[in-house]
Amino acid sequence: MTSPTRPAAARFELVIPTEQGEFIARYSARGLARLTFPRTGTAPRVRPAIPRDLLQQISTWHRLTSRALKMILSGRAPLNWPPLDLSGGTEFQRQVWAALQRIPLGRTASYGDLARDIGRPQAFRAVGGACGANPIVVLIPCHRALAANGRLGGFSGGVKWKRTLLAAEGIAVPAR
DNA sequence: AGGCGAGTGAGGA
DNA sequence: TCCTCACTCGCCT
């Protein structure tokens, strides 16, 4: 056939400028597949052009992503969300990510709480791993997962970001 | 209070 | 099959 078949895994990147830097959003044909923190000191890279048949769809999603991100960064709960393409995760990871999305803005849960939420009370340690594999920072609020006894725990994007995000949501940030 | 070790489930090499 | 965790708990100073 003449229609160019895109690989199912095709991803298209757009940036979201914020006061904190440029977040990078990556879209598949199914929705937002990845959102990453601003990188410091990397050369701007060439991004593949978005095919015409996806342009309008992705533009719409990107507006939703940008607004939702900026809302959370300013401590307000987003009204609308882009569709999320979480097909890259395992079943267990998707369950953890869904549990994270149930934590309201301004609230936190411990890794143990999340493990109980998904019906695997002993899997609290694996929950940490799934949080670390979260492909969509901020919108899937892995920063709201703390260790037991209110300790901060870790963060794949760096603990500084975790503190920043918690502070933006008005959460008292543990000393460590 | 704080350190330490064992136990734990999932994922990746 | 092994190893590594963004953990938790209990026991010990």
Side-chain angles (χ1 to χ4, degrees), chain A residues 111 123-133:
Chain A
Y111 298 99
F124 45 79
R125 198 167 187 178
V127 165
C131 291

Side-chain angles (χ1 to χ4, degrees), chain A residues 53 69 71 73 115 129 158:
Chain A
D53 58 323
L69 173 63
M71 289 283 280
L73 290 178

Side-chain angles (χ1 to χ4, degrees), chain A residues 32 35 60-69 71-72 76-84 100-105 136-141 144 169:
Chain A
L32 177 64
L35 180 65
T60 300
W61 292 341
H62 193 57
R63 269 192 298 276
L64 291 170
T65 303
S66 302
R67 279 207 292 263
L69 173 63
M71 289 283 280
I72 295 175
R76 288 167 295 163
L79 304 174
N80 295 297
W81 301 75
L84 307 184
L100 285 167
Q101 291 179 82
R102 282 183 229 117
I103 309 173
L105 185 141
I136 300 178
V137 301
V138 185
L139 297 199
I140 294 177
R144 293 176 198 148
E169 298 192 9

Side-chain angles (χ1 to χ4, degrees), chain A residues 18-100:
Chain A
T18 73
E19 291 182 4
Q20 323 268 14
E22 286 190 345
F23 285 72
I24 299 171
R26 190 181 300 174
Y27 298 89
S28 73
R30 306 164 84 170
L32 177 64
R34 196 166 186 82
L35 180 65
T36 55
F37 288 111
R39 293 193 223 291
T40 54
T42 55
R45 45 174 298 192
V46 177
R47 303 174 204 285
I50 299 175
R52 293 180 68 84
D53 58 323
L54 286 182
L55 187 57
Q56 180 151 2
Q57 177 71 92
I58 288 182
S59 300
T60 300
W61 292 341
H62 193 57
R63 269 192 298 276
L64 291 170
T65 303
S66 302
R67 279 207 292 263
L69 173 63
K70 288 171 184 175
M71 289 283 280
I72 295 175
L73 290 178
S74 60
R76 288 167 295 163
L79 304 174
N80 295 297
W81 301 75
L84 307 184
D85 178 4
L86 300 177
S87 57
T90 66
E91 180 60 28
F92 177 81
Q93 289 169 337
R94 283 197 300 266
Q95 286 180 18
V96 172
W97 299 338
L100 285 167

